[in-house]
Amino acid sequence: MPLSGFKFGKKKLKEEERHLQANNRDFNLEFEYANNSIKTSKYNFFTFLPLNLFEQFQRIANAYFLFLLILQLIPQVSSLSWFTTVVPLVLVLAVSGVKDAIDDFNRHRSDNHVNNRPVQVLINGRLKDDKWMNIQVGDIIKLENNNFVTADLLLLSSSEPHSLTYIETAELDGETNLKVKQALTVTAELGQNLQELTDFNGEVKCEAPNNKLDKFTGTLTLRGEKFALDNEKMLLRGCTIRNTEWCFGLVIYAGPDTKLMQNCGKTTFKRTSIDRLMNVLVLVIFVFLALMCFILAIGNGIWEHDKGFYFQVYLPWADGVNSAAYSGFLMFWSYVIILNTVVPISLYVSVEIIRLGNSFYIDWDRKMYYPLNDTPAQARTTTLNEELGQIKYIFSDKTGTLTQNIMAFNKCSINGKSYGDVYDVAGQRTEITEHTEKVDFSYNQLADPKFVFYDHSLVEAVKLDDAATHGFFRLLSLCHTVMPEEKKEGNLVYQAQSPDEGALVTAARNFGFVFRARTPETITVVEMGETKVYELLAILDFNNVRKRMSVIVRSPEGDLTLYCKGADTIVYELLDSSCGPLKEETMEHLNEFAGEGLRTLVVAYKDLQEDYFQEWHKRHHEASTALDGREEKLSELYEEIEKDLMLLGATAIEDKLQDGVPQTIETLTKAHIKIWVLTGDKQETAVNIGYSCNMLHDDMKDVFIIEGNTSEEVLDELRTARKKMNPDSFLDSDETIKFENPSTKSRILPEEQANGVYGLVINGHSLAYALEGNLELELVRTACMCKVVICCRVTPLQKAQVVELVKKYKKAVTLAIGDGANDVSMIKTAHIGVGISGQEGMQAVLSSDFSFAQFRYLQRLLLVHGRWSYIRMCKFLRYFFYKNFAFTLVHFWYGFFSGFSAQTVYDQWFITLYNLVYTSLPVLGMSLFDQDVDDRWSMQFPHLYEPGQQNLYFNKLEFVKCVLHGIYSSLILFFIPYGAMYDTVRSDGKAIADYQSFALMAQTCLLIVVSVQIGLDTAYWTAVNQFFIWGSLSVYFAIIFTMYSDGMYLIFTASFPFIGTARNTLNQPNVWLAIFLSIILCVLPVVGGRFLKAQLMPTVSDKVLRKIRAAKKWPPPPLPKTRLRRTSTRRSGYAFSHQHGFGALIMSGRNMRPKLPFTTTGTFSPNSEKNRHK
């Protein structure tokens, strides 16, 4: 027995091979495999407090305040009471803790919802209802149609012939087309016989859990025989059972070991770049604080040595102080406490309040509310708002994020005539709107009520028995691999291998050619009310090289016909020379369809001679049974018969984008945001969407396709692309490339500019090589020079690796957006994760930081809420640091005039209330309501977003400016009152030059100056801002006149020693003159500097704001509404399935139920009970 899975001591050995036995829990429990319970939460009841506190004390400031608290408990150095620190500290930790607890509670609730889903498990010969979380490796479970797959299962048997099972993998790879899985013959015999399933004791040996969605290797040993297992026999967690009544599966991997969970990534603690910068700045401030305290301590030691030693009778030293040096040492710590307000704890309380308030704006935004499914936008994480204003890279899923995942038959060209456009009475083409009259298909009882078409002329052509039109729709109803399902008579449901095929067959159905049923030998079509049974003789299946498929059928009249559909570039080469004029007309229509971003397909036919076909069919049978070179022989035969085709026309299918996607991408691109599409879809489909979304366009210099199959090929393709974009980038070898921060662990690549606009498309297998250590640098250098990058056929883990790569090498903020479980890993990896509540479940939303219903809301989230949040946070931090440096440094200057005795300048009550009451509300008002321009102008001028990407509004340089501004203001605020008070007398001749009067004057100057400063910083005035600023000043004067009154002194003599200071000082004109002078000297340089900078060195924002001011004076006339079209000579190819076609499966009959012969009444229901063999 292998040791894999066993624990050795306390450490679990890494699993190298999985060994399990069906229906034997005791055997499987020995290996201690994970059960099927999943956990995405970070905490539990017992770990919440220690883990959350550990995370919070990673903030240097929190650890610093804890240190301050300890200092304040030491009597010799304490100059302020301990509760002045402990109360705010506990408040900050509590607010953050509660918020984290709520977020994690939601994750617990989501986990519980999934873990408690019901499932039927086979125990002791009976099916028992149980919960997902109780399922264990080796259990046999039963799944029914439309059930989610519980765990990674080995398919044992199913209700379908040959134990086929149809699944949808949208949760895993974003694809909605059906895939088919098939059980081993030896297990298929078990059927749904519970006794035989209970007696099944097969042993499985397979690979250890991994994240490879498309690979599985293992063996099943049963009754001494070994059977090979591969991915075609596995049902993975995250899939959905479709078109299959029931199936049984053996659990191979459960819970965290499933491939879906292996691809999910870990929940990480996300912090914004401003948070990280603040940590650095707080360290700088600590050094600055220590330097100030050291200077003052040295000063105290010198002063006590030279002066204080001789005045001990008048100024006795404290108990235990016996030398000037020791006095200086104690004074160092006293000044640490006094000057700690350079980093007040209220900073972090205010930051949390601002973030919370700006999160509510997102939740309340009606313009981001989607009424169709009652989904508002939601800020699920409240700590990342300002990061939304700094996004440089967006990583987007395609299916369900950019597209609606709905294919619509939009237009077609038949025999040289284009259908699908609507014209008015004057013959002018009109735009299709919700008010445009739709075609009425009520005459067709089998029509799909959801199908919409607007061009009435096509219906008329069908009703007039136009031969070309009938031939066109007959082809669409016959040439496909769709499976019909008819539970009720007339209620047809098509199960298509690709959504395009479903759209084409549905179109034929509505125009009177209804594909009704199929067997391995026949296809039943109801043509204009008449049931016809065509004999299906061959399916020439699709593959990625042929890019076409054909069927050969014999009509009821005995005519042999080959029908073909495929990519126009391929089919045009196969057309008969007589089609010349029609080819040109159809080509014009194809170009027109491509210009609108539609996916095009050419259809053609060929009448066959009986004797030639019989001879060809004989050779086809020989080739299909050949042991050597089977694929090549079949391909040659297909090429031979698919010649001299007659062109019928072309189809144009719209892969419906979500509303506003092209406009959103265009706007975000103008904001210099680079968009990368990471999709599990195939290359052709993804590129088509790239053109439809206006990400890729013909004005680009080039679109590079990276599809190498070896490391060397991929490296060569990447270097060729980079050389074309920027030849200068090869002047330095890769070894000597200059990183921005070579000393740091993450080497930041400098920005490299391309010599034009380029796009890059890379396949999943090539990406696997490119993500290897020696190639990842080349990939990121090449890709980041491109305007658009599309990664196709990527796994969920590769999505996360691409995001991580950009985070590692680029100094940029990333955002990932998706709607399925396959997007969870990249959503967790990116700085910001956005979930779209779409058709693929809620996994992406539950893992996201922000969520909404439509991709188009992303531009409002970033350009409005993100930009506002970033500007508000930056203004807040600049002002906060300024006002606290101005406040604190007055103490520093005062130290030189007070014998370095750690005496405070201000009244202690003013120190307590300064950040808590007097200056808190005005700055919060600005930080919650300020906006340089309103939302309309923010969206209209995306360039306003650029300063956030470059982090211009708050960085180390801006911080230095704040410090210098604070130092300058503190000098004014100390020396002007000091000079005004020096040897000054009142108007009645009494002295005014006392400590209390000086303190009152200094603090009044300070408060008025910082209030004027916030007025200058406020760009958007509201009644709330006015109330907060004037209210704070009013409260200040009310408090000082109350606190310094005779009554308060008599009641609390020790607490309020400044008796009468307010009324005695503030009634003197020279005091107010000095206050006015302080304000002028503090504010004038700021106003002058801003004016000169705007005039002489205007920023991007200054230039845009001038345009906006001009536009407000002279509003432009409204632009006429135009349809967004792209002109292109490139056609969007037809999106066949990503896998090899179902042709061989259909012809073999393995997926067919045996049925009675068809009737000719047109009322046959293939799945009705009376026509099904018992």
Side-chain angles (χ1 to χ4, degrees), residues 144-197:
E144 296 177 345
N145 197 27
N146 296 325
N147 281 175
F148 289 111
V149 177
T150 310
D152 288 356
L153 310 175
L154 171 65
L155 178 61
L156 297 178
S157 62
S158 84
S159 58
E160 301 305 296
H162 302 277
S163 280
L164 296 175
T165 298
Y166 297 96
I167 59 168
E168 187 179 276
T169 59
E171 292 277 348
L172 289 174
D173 54 21
E175 297 176 19
T176 53
N177 50 290
L178 291 183
K179 295 182 174 64
V180 65
K181 302 287 184 177
Q182 185 175 14
L184 286 167
T185 308
V186 68
T187 62
E189 297 166 355
L190 300 171
Q192 57 179 336
N193 186 315
L194 297 185
Q195 189 54 51
E196 288 190 17
L197 284 163

Side-chain angles (χ1 to χ4, degrees), residues 572-591:
Y572 260 47
E573 298 296 321
L574 308 174
L575 294 178
D576 190 77
S577 56
S578 63
C579 298
L582 182 57
K583 281 171 68 174
E584 291 181 10
E585 291 175 351
T586 307
M587 180 65 74
E588 288 181 14
H589 296 153
L590 284 167
N591 287 335

Side-chain angles (χ1 to χ4, degrees), residues 541-739:
D541 215 349
F542 164 83
N543 66 36
N544 282 318
V545 177
R546 284 167 42 76
K547 293 189 177 178
R548 64 188 183 275
M549 76 161 288
S550 302
V551 294
I552 300 173
V553 296
R554 181 180 279 116
S555 70
E557 294 77 27
D559 298 326
L560 271 175
T561 310
L562 179 146
Y563 291 111
C564 177
K565 68 181 181 186
D568 57 284
T569 51
I570 301 293
V571 176
Y572 260 47
E573 298 296 321
L574 308 174
L575 294 178
D576 190 77
S577 56
S578 63
C579 298
L582 182 57
K583 281 171 68 174
E584 291 181 10
E585 291 175 351
T586 307
M587 180 65 74
E588 288 181 14
H589 296 153
L590 284 167
N591 287 335
E592 185 182 333
F593 299 156
E596 298 176 26
L598 303 178
R599 297 158 68 148
T600 56
L601 170 73
V602 170
V603 296
Y605 74 99
K606 178 183 180 182
D607 292 322
L608 301 174
Q609 298 298 319
E610 184 71 39
D611 52 352
Y612 169 73
F613 174 73
Q614 293 301 336
E615 189 265 335
W616 180 89
H617 194 261
K618 182 181 177 183
R619 286 186 288 135
H620 176 264
H621 178 72
E622 291 172 358
S624 62
T625 54
L627 295 176
D628 297 321
R630 181 185 301 176
E631 294 295 327
E632 292 79 6
K633 290 176 182 177
L634 284 173
S635 181
E636 288 174 11
L637 282 170
Y638 292 168
E639 293 279 350
E640 177 191 319
I641 202 167
E642 291 173 327
K643 282 182 180 176
D644 303 322
L645 303 178
M646 302 302 295
L647 180 61
L648 269 174
T651 64
I653 289 178
E654 182 183 7
D655 186 356
K656 279 189 174 292
L657 296 172
Q658 288 192 11
D659 293 341
V661 165
Q663 294 88 341
T664 299
I665 288 173
E666 188 179 0
T667 304
L668 293 174
T669 305
K670 286 178 181 174
H672 292 278
I673 297 173
K674 292 185 177 180
I675 299 173
W676 293 25
V677 176
L678 310 179
T679 177
D681 225 330
K682 65 176 241 177
Q683 178 181 318
E684 193 172 41
T685 312
V687 171
N688 290 343
I689 294 298
Y691 278 95
S692 301
C693 294
N694 282 358
M695 285 190 289
L696 299 174
H697 50 80
D698 291 334
D699 294 337
M700 285 183 160
K701 267 197 169 184
D702 202 353
V703 177
F704 304 110
I705 308 291
I706 309 297
E707 48 189 356
N709 291 310
T710 64
S711 297
E712 291 74 20
E713 287 178 15
V714 173
L715 178 62
D716 185 57
E717 289 174 348
L718 288 170
R719 290 198 162 183
T720 303
R722 181 158 65 90
K723 193 167 186 177
K724 183 171 182 180
M725 288 189 288
N726 186 355
D728 295 340
S729 65
F730 280 85
L731 296 178
D732 298 319
S733 67
D734 289 336
E735 287 74 23
T736 60
I737 183 170
K738 294 175 182 175
F739 290 95

Side-chain angles (χ1 to χ4, degrees), residues 56-224:
Q56 292 207 54
F57 279 113
Q58 283 184 328
R59 273 185 177 164
I60 295 171
N62 285 345
Y64 165 66
F65 291 122
L66 184 64
F67 171 69
L68 267 187
L69 176 62
I70 295 168
L71 274 185
Q72 288 179 328
L73 295 174
I74 303 171
Q76 286 85 350
V77 297
S78 178
S79 47
L80 291 170
S81 301
W82 62 271
F83 57 80
T84 58
T85 299
V86 76
V87 172
L89 180 61
V90 170
L91 182 66
V92 169
L93 296 176
V95 169
S96 299
V98 168
K99 185 170 58 59
D100 291 339
I102 291 170
D103 288 344
D104 209 57
F105 175 75
N106 291 331
R107 283 190 282 267
H108 272 287
R109 192 163 57 180
S110 161
D111 290 346
N112 289 336
H113 172 71
V114 173
N115 289 332
N116 287 299
R117 282 177 178 166
V119 66
Q120 298 179 75
V121 58
L122 185 64
I123 295 179
N124 299 326
R126 295 174 58 193
L127 283 173
K128 175 188 169 188
D129 288 332
D130 208 337
K131 296 175 180 177
W132 275 31
M133 62 182 176
N134 296 328
I135 300 303
Q136 295 183 15
V137 171
D139 287 350
I140 292 177
I141 61 175
K142 180 183 180 182
L143 298 173
E144 296 177 345
N145 197 27
N146 296 325
N147 281 175
F148 289 111
V149 177
T150 310
D152 288 356
L153 310 175
L154 171 65
L155 178 61
L156 297 178
S157 62
S158 84
S159 58
E160 301 305 296
H162 302 277
S163 280
L164 296 175
T165 298
Y166 297 96
I167 59 168
E168 187 179 276
T169 59
E171 292 277 348
L172 289 174
D173 54 21
E175 297 176 19
T176 53
N177 50 290
L178 291 183
K179 295 182 174 64
V180 65
K181 302 287 184 177
Q182 185 175 14
L184 286 167
T185 308
V186 68
T187 62
E189 297 166 355
L190 300 171
Q192 57 179 336
N193 186 315
L194 297 185
Q195 189 54 51
E196 288 190 17
L197 284 163
T198 304
D199 294 339
F200 176 72
N201 63 350
E203 285 194 23
V204 173
K205 287 187 177 179
C206 62
E207 60 193 15
N210 59 69
N211 52 41
K212 295 174 183 173
L213 291 173
D214 55 349
K215 289 184 181 177
F216 176 80
T217 53
T219 57
L220 169 68
T221 305
L222 184 65
R223 295 189 288 271

